[in-house]
Amino acid sequence: MKIAVIGQSLFGQEVYKELRKDGHTIVGVFTIPDKDGKADPLAAEAEKDGVAVFKFPRWRVKGQAIAEVVAQYKATGAELNVLPFCSQFIPMEVIDHPKHGSIIYHPSLLPRHRGASAINWTLIHGDKKGGFTVFWADDGLDTGPILLQRECDVEPNDTVNTIYKRFLFPEGVKGTVDAVRMIAKGNAPKIIQPKEGATYECIQKKDNAMIDWNQSAEAIHNWIRGNDKVPGAWAEVDGQKVTFYGSSLVKSGTAAKGQPLEIPGASKPGIVTKTGLVLFGNDGKTLLVKNLQFEDGKMIAAAQYFSSGSSAAVELTEEEKTFAEQMKAVWQSILTNVSKIEDSTDFFKSGAASMDVVRLVEEAKLRASNCQLQNEDVYMNTTYQDFIQKCVRKMRGQDDEEELVVDYVEKNINNMTIKMPYQMFLNGEFIDAEGGKTYKSINPTDGTAICEVSLAQISDVDKAVAAAKEAFEEGEWGKMNPRDRGRLIYKLADLMEQHQEELATIESIDSGAVYTLALKTHVGMSIQTFRYFAGWCDKIQGSTIPINQARPNRNLTFTKKEPMGVCAIVIPWNYPLMMLAWKTAACLAAGNTVVLKPAQVTPLTALKFAELAARAGIPKGVINILPGSGALVGQRMSDHPDVRKLGFTGSTEIGKHIMKSCAVSNVKKVSLELGGKSPLIIFSDCDMDKAVRMGMSSVFFNKGENCIAAGRLFVEDSIHDQFVKKVIEEVKKMKIGDPLDRSTDHGPQNHKAHLDKLVEYCQTGVKEGATLVCGGKQVQRPGFFFEPTVFTDVQDHMYIAEEESFGPVMIISKFKGGEVDDVLRRANATEYGLASGVFTRDISKALYVSERLNAGTVFVNTYNKTDVAAPFGGFKQSGFGKDLGQEALNEYLKTKTVTIEY
């Protein structure tokens, strides 16, 4: 069809683009005039495409259509008018002119909330359902016949911005385009709007957005969120207008503790707490407001009301005024293009670059040794006034940053007091899951509950992704100098090291890891990983490429490595903190933001990590931790259209499902580290003692819960019996018990379901005729303990020869001496290819075997020797992509090619 698009804004731009994709001819775009020399997004898009753009300041004068404006419109020959968002009054001569008439998008479920502030009033009235309508335009105000409607749930703490971004914008674009498709097919309905339930509310402006305190807490909350961000609900506080943002209802419970704030007309004084400003309705219930804005436009965290002062500015002493004048001179010397430095002068908008930041920080330190600024302080305080305020607070030793509020579960254990966050971590805060849902995290040592943990819901995933997207696109993380980003990651590693004993203790009680192993490997390697990737932050680079096209003109082609954006990470339960580190460190170093789901059974070190990340200064929204089920949280992460990369470690079955979901949703980039059945070949010329020691480690390390565990040992027949005898002797020496006991060798399996699977696995091996030499049973004591187990005489066709146990089960098969190629065939006869190993003193044989083993890692005369600098990942159904090493960065980067002709 020939379509005229009448409207403005990004919404109009997206509708316009989708209509063109559908093959429609846009004969004209009618929009508002340029503002401050800048075209509206819809106009800019159309002009780029060469589509005729008309920028009429008005269509009517004194109630009459302007003839020449109408004539220019009619000359386009439009068959349908589409009004996606239009702030101008369009005369009926235009509305009725096309063959198919005109359709309008309206952000409410008509006939409810007619008028220009429909979204505001949906929230103000506390509607449980919201949505939009595409209707046929008539001469009334939003009264025309309905063509299409779509609805959504209104969440309790939705604002105009959140419901618009989540549903009204993306689904509204789709709905408007769907409506046009229906018109094109000739099956678009015209449903007369019912009179029952029709409402019309006024336009919300600042002068009518004052808060009426004589209402319930819920009504006040709805009023504040219904005016958030525009026009902003306000009240008089300390003699000036203060606007309230970020409202949420507070569950009944413990009384708020803080400093009272008198608010005229309120039933009770508000309370400024560590988390924000608590307000009271006339029903005695409460709500919490996160941010306040003053008449001068300055916004502060509500929690900082008294510490920052109601004007959000500290009064300078004479000495501080001298410092401010000195720094103004520094600003002037840097910003040579600015005639005069004002309070509102913006450092970066005035042309400053990253080197200028370094200079500014150092100049401040030279003039005041107690002004210990960091580079990010400049990025967060870009105007001269804000910069001076930050400097003065630093000089006074005041911390004007919002305090991290953490509710802990505390336990006195392992000769220390451990403090464990139990709420999910979203956008820089520890908060409850939607609906307050929780579950128990179980200690596998005795089967008792450690604590209740937040159980994230689908809506929580959406919020976390939105926070991560905002942090990436608009926050300081995306703008930060790579070296500063590396410094923050290194600071995080330092904090992890300071808390390593606490982290290892939490890891032990949550996953069953032996404490000494948790300290060295689970936690120790995690710290090493963050330090390693911190060093990569400022070394990510592209290349220049000589090209020969389009002579005789000269060309420059170069590549850039850019972050993906929002990355989802789903990790397993065997190494809860280390798996987090392996993926998250590379992801952050590349400049991305993260939404991470720890394994449901082992969430606690991930939540402690979130606390340390916040204390290290990682900006809010960059890291989000959501404990929850894979079926719910993991699935939503796989499906989410704003997630651009997903990294997963877990089973092959789930990996396949994730890969499919990522493909169907938005073709996400995926890296998968999946199951394994790693072969270990032991030749007769090996160092026997070392082969036994490393063979034991290859199977029983971390009680067999190890992705690269040797799932099958091939032992040359001439040394088979000797090898088995030595293994049994060593197994008998292993101490099974409390993982916090420093002498324990073998702790409990991670959780009950896994223990049950191990029992079944070993029973299957016995039924198939394998020889059970030792173990194979649950240990008769509290908790989830399983005996170290050894099977011999395992034939290639048996279930236990083909499938991974993921537990302390050694599977031993013989092979004949001299038949190297045959044992290689047997070792490779699996769909897995994660790791492998060979023991021999013959270097030629070792190299021959390592070349032919089809696995991502080959260990020669050693096993389990991973390092942060060495890439790690599998072949075949063990997945693809790499953790660790420089190659891991590529999993979280995209390559852009730029070609310039000159």
Side-chain angles (χ1 to χ4, degrees):
M1 285 189 295
K2 294 180 179 179
I3 295 175
V5 178
I6 304 174
Q8 64 209 66
S9 78
L10 288 170
F11 186 87
Q13 178 191 47
E14 289 303 308
V15 170
Y16 161 86
K17 287 162 63 176
E18 293 302 316
L19 291 176
R20 277 175 55 87
K21 285 182 185 177
D22 267 12
H24 299 292
T25 301
I26 310 300
V27 295
V29 165
F30 297 83
T31 187
I32 57 176
D34 295 354
K35 187 175 182 180
D36 298 327
K38 187 176 181 180
D40 178 82
L42 171 58
E45 189 72 27
E47 287 169 344
K48 184 178 70 176
D49 294 334
V51 172
V53 177
F54 304 86
K55 302 176 181 179
F56 302 135
R58 63 187 62 84
W59 293 71
R60 304 188 312 166
V61 174
K62 296 181 180 180
Q64 298 298 315
I66 301 173
E68 54 267 34
V69 170
V70 174
Q72 287 186 64
Y73 159 76
K74 289 182 176 179
T76 63
E79 299 171 324
L80 173 69
N81 293 332
V82 177
L83 285 71
F85 172 74
C86 183
S87 61
Q88 296 177 310
F89 192 95
I90 310 301
M92 292 307 296
E93 291 91 333
V94 173
I95 294 294
D96 293 337
H97 178 75
K99 176 172 67 173
H100 296 295
S102 301
I103 60 170
I104 302 176
Y105 167 88
H106 183 79
S108 79
L109 298 173
L110 292 175
R112 190 161 173 79
H113 305 310
R114 292 170 176 160
S117 297
I119 311 175
N120 304 78
W121 287 101
T122 297
L123 300 174
I124 290 169
H125 281 282
D127 293 358
K128 303 302 182 187
K129 294 287 183 181
F132 63 86
T133 305
V134 179
F135 67 96
W136 299 94
D138 64 4
D139 58 357
L141 182 62
D142 304 331
T143 57
I146 295 170
L147 191 162
L148 174 151
Q149 281 189 328
R150 288 180 184 162
E151 69 174 34
C152 68
D153 292 330
V154 179
E155 296 180 5
N157 295 325
D158 260 333
T159 64
V160 174
N161 191 45
T162 60
I163 194 172
Y164 185 70
K165 283 187 174 181
R166 186 180 75 251
F167 185 82
L168 297 175
F169 185 105
E171 295 303 320
V173 170
K174 294 177 186 176
T176 304
V177 174
D178 286 345
V180 173
R181 290 172 182 156
M182 294 166 71
I183 294 170
K185 292 177 181 177
N187 60 359
K190 292 187 177 181
I191 303 167
I192 302 301
Q193 291 191 32
K195 294 181 180 179
E196 185 179 352
T199 64
Y200 171 78
E201 293 93 3
C202 64
I203 297 176
Q204 279 304 97
K205 298 180 179 178
K206 198 70 176 181
D207 58 5
N208 64 0
M210 184 176 179
I211 300 170
D212 176 7
W213 296 108
N214 190 26
Q215 304 179 82
S216 67
E218 184 175 4
I220 296 171
H221 163 67
N222 287 338
W223 183 262
I224 293 173
R225 71 187 183 116
N227 287 282
D228 186 346
K229 296 280 192 207
V230 177
W234 61 274
E236 280 203 10
V237 181
D238 288 340
Q240 65 171 317
K241 282 185 179 179
V242 176
T243 305
F244 296 72
Y245 296 107
S247 174
S248 58
L249 286 171
V250 177
K251 297 177 186 177
S252 58
T254 307
K257 296 179 181 179
Q259 192 169 348
L261 176 64
E262 291 292 338
I263 301 175
S267 58
K268 292 173 66 175
I271 302 176
V272 177
T273 71
K274 292 181 178 180
T275 56
L277 174 59
V278 175
L279 301 169
F280 294 85
N282 62 10
D283 56 355
K285 295 182 179 180
T286 56
L287 58 143
L288 181 73
V289 168
K290 299 295 289 184
N291 298 305
L292 302 173
Q293 188 174 36
F294 300 99
E295 289 180 281
D296 62 1
K298 181 69 177 181
M299 183 178 286
I300 65 165
Q304 300 297 319
Y305 184 88
F306 287 112
S307 58
S308 295
S310 59
S311 65
V314 295
E315 188 173 342
L316 273 57
T317 65
E318 290 303 316
E319 184 179 351
E320 289 164 350
K321 287 177 182 177
T322 301
F323 169 82
E325 287 303 314
Q326 292 173 348
M327 292 310 302
K328 182 175 284 189
V330 174
W331 277 56
Q332 191 71 71
S333 67
I334 294 173
L335 306 176
T336 55
N337 58 318
V338 177
S339 59
K340 184 181 179 182
I341 303 298
E342 307 282 355
D343 283 350
S344 59
T345 301
D346 189 287
F347 194 62
F348 297 103
K349 290 179 181 178
S350 300
S354 57
M355 277 302 298
D356 301 317
V357 173
V358 177
R359 177 186 167 187
L360 188 61
V361 168
E362 294 306 315
E363 294 272 16
K365 291 178 181 177
L366 282 173
R367 285 158 179 78
S369 59
N370 57 343
C371 183
Q372 293 300 308
L373 283 182
Q374 304 294 339
N375 288 2
E376 64 263 27
D377 292 327
V378 181
Y379 289 108
M380 289 293 289
N381 299 273
T382 60
T383 66
Y384 173 73
Q385 180 184 45
D386 290 347
F387 173 77
I388 292 299
Q389 287 287 307
K390 184 70 175 181
C391 289
V392 169
R393 290 194 176 97
K394 288 278 187 179
M395 291 158 66
R396 294 182 182 183
Q398 296 175 353
D399 182 10
D400 63 344
E401 296 178 359
E402 186 175 348
E403 183 178 351
L404 179 68
V405 179
V406 189
D407 284 338
Y408 295 110
V409 170
E410 296 189 20
K411 288 187 179 293
N412 293 314
I413 190 170
N414 201 25
N415 299 316
M416 68 184 80
T417 299
I418 59 172
K419 301 169 74 174
M420 298 176 288
Y422 60 88
Q423 296 169 295
M424 66 181 191
F425 187 72
L426 198 159
N427 202 22
E429 295 180 290
F430 284 101
I431 58 174
D432 290 336
E434 182 68 33
K437 293 189 176 180
T438 63
Y439 70 99
K440 289 181 172 64
S441 187
I442 303 299
N443 183 342
T445 301
D446 57 14
T448 61
I450 302 169
C451 62
E452 293 277 347
V453 179
S454 291
L455 182 65
Q457 304 298 301
I458 289 176
S459 60
D460 296 317
V461 179
D462 292 342
K463 292 172 189 173
V465 172
K469 184 179 181 183
E470 184 175 359
F472 178 76
E473 294 180 351
E474 302 173 24
E476 58 177 311
W477 189 252
K479 304 170 187 174
M480 192 176 289
N481 180 291
R483 187 163 295 173
D484 292 333
R485 189 165 63 239
R487 187 182 54 75
L488 285 179
I489 296 172
Y490 203 94
K491 185 177 179 182
L492 169 58
D494 286 346
L495 277 176
M496 292 172 70
E497 187 170 54
Q498 292 171 27
H499 289 262
Q500 60 183 331
E501 289 86 1
E502 183 182 21
L503 285 166
T505 303
I506 296 171
E507 192 92 333
S508 290
I509 66 171
D510 203 27
S511 75
V514 171
Y515 174 75
T516 50
L517 177 67
L519 192 61
K520 178 184 180 294
T521 302
H522 289 235
V523 178
M525 192 174 188
S526 298
I527 295 167
Q528 293 171 15
T529 302
F530 277 102
R531 286 199 174 127
Y532 173 81
F533 282 106
W536 269 110
C537 289
D538 61 351
K539 300 172 187 67
I540 298 170
Q541 58 192 21
S543 58
T544 56
I545 303 169
I547 64 169
N548 300 310
Q549 301 300 317
R551 292 179 178 178
N553 294 325
R554 289 182 292 177
N555 302 278
L556 170 65
T557 294
F558 61 90
T559 61
K560 296 175 64 181
K561 297 286 188 178
E562 297 181 348
M564 299 293 300
V566 179
C567 297
I569 293 175
V570 181
I571 56 173
W573 42 260
N574 57 327
Y575 294 102
L577 186 63
M578 195 171 77
M579 292 296 98
L580 177 153
W582 282 20
K583 288 177 164 48
T584 304
C587 182
L588 294 176
N592 301 286
T593 55
V594 179
V595 179
L596 182 140
K597 190 196 88 64
Q600 188 170 353
V601 292
T602 53
L604 296 179
T605 42
L607 294 172
K608 188 67 181 181
F609 165 82
E611 178 198 344
L612 299 179
R615 298 198 188 284
I618 304 291
K620 68 176 186 178
V622 174
I623 294 172
N624 304 273
I625 308 291
L626 303 180
S629 73
L632 205 66
V633 176
Q635 184 64 54
R636 179 56 182 158
M637 290 163 72
S638 301
D639 292 337
H640 203 292
D642 289 332
V643 172
R644 294 298 170 189
K645 160 69 199 278
L646 191 146
F648 171 75
T649 295
S651 72
T652 298
E653 179 186 6
I654 300 301
K656 289 178 179 180
H657 181 80
I658 284 175
M659 190 173 175
K660 180 178 179 181
S661 296
C662 288
V664 170
S665 57
N666 62 343
V667 197
K668 291 175 182 64
K669 187 175 182 179
V670 183
S671 55
L672 304 172
E673 197 254 278
L674 307 176
K677 188 67 175 175
S678 301
L680 174 58
I681 304 173
I682 301 174
F683 288 97
S684 61
D685 63 350
C686 69
D687 178 334
M688 175 61 79
D689 289 340
K690 185 177 183 181
V692 170
R693 186 174 69 253
M694 299 307 297
M696 292 277 294
S697 174
S698 75
V699 175
F700 301 123
F701 188 82
N702 199 46
K703 6 105 180 190
E705 295 170 355
N706 187 18
C707 52
I708 57 171
R712 192 175 181 194
L713 277 66
F714 294 91
V715 181
E716 192 167 339
D717 54 2
S718 63
I719 63 167
H720 173 272
D721 293 349
Q722 181 187 6
F723 179 85
V724 173
K725 180 182 178 181
K726 286 180 174 290
V727 164
I728 300 306
E729 290 172 354
E730 294 301 317
V731 168
K732 289 178 179 178
K733 297 176 186 177
M734 294 175 68
K735 179 181 177 181
I736 302 172
D738 183 354
L740 295 176
D741 184 337
R742 304 313 193 259
S743 64
T744 295
D745 300 302
H746 189 81
Q749 304 308 133
N750 187 276
H751 53 279
K752 181 64 164 61
H754 180 53
L755 176 67
D756 293 341
K757 286 183 180 179
L758 282 174
V759 173
E760 183 180 352
Y761 182 90
C762 291
Q763 289 173 348
T764 301
V766 171
K767 289 177 183 177
E768 288 185 322
T771 300
L772 178 61
V773 180
C774 65
K777 301 188 298 294
Q778 179 178 353
V779 178
Q780 296 305 306
R781 58 177 292 168
F784 310 140
F785 291 86
F786 191 80
E787 297 175 337
T789 300
V790 178
F791 277 101
T792 60
D793 302 319
V794 178
Q795 304 304 309
D796 293 353
H797 68 275
M798 292 180 179
Y799 176 82
I800 62 173
E802 297 176 339
E803 296 299 326
E804 181 179 31
S805 71
F806 211 67
V809 182
M810 182 179 284
I811 308 295
I812 303 176
S813 299
K814 292 181 185 179
F815 72 94
K816 291 182 179 180
E819 296 186 357
V820 176
D821 289 330
D822 185 62
V823 74
L824 280 169
R825 176 190 59 76
R826 295 171 67 192
N828 287 326
T830 172
E831 273 300 300
Y832 300 112
L834 188 57
S836 59
V838 55
F839 278 82
T840 177
R841 285 191 173 95
D842 185 337
I843 187 63
S844 297
K845 186 190 295 180
L847 289 172
Y848 181 87
V849 170
S850 64
E851 285 178 1
R852 286 159 178 77
L853 283 170
N854 196 3
T857 296
V858 181
F859 297 109
V860 178
N861 294 328
T862 187
Y863 209 88
N864 286 326
K865 187 167 282 189
T866 54
D867 187 88
V868 294
F872 178 94
F875 299 162
K876 299 187 286 187
Q877 291 197 43
S878 287
F880 52 85
K882 297 294 182 183
D883 291 324
L884 304 178
Q886 182 180 358
E887 285 195 39
L889 290 167
N890 294 326
E891 303 298 330
Y892 299 95
L893 292 166
K894 56 189 178 185
T895 302
K896 178 182 288 183
T897 301
V898 180
T899 297
I900 304 170
E901 184 177 282
Y902 62 99

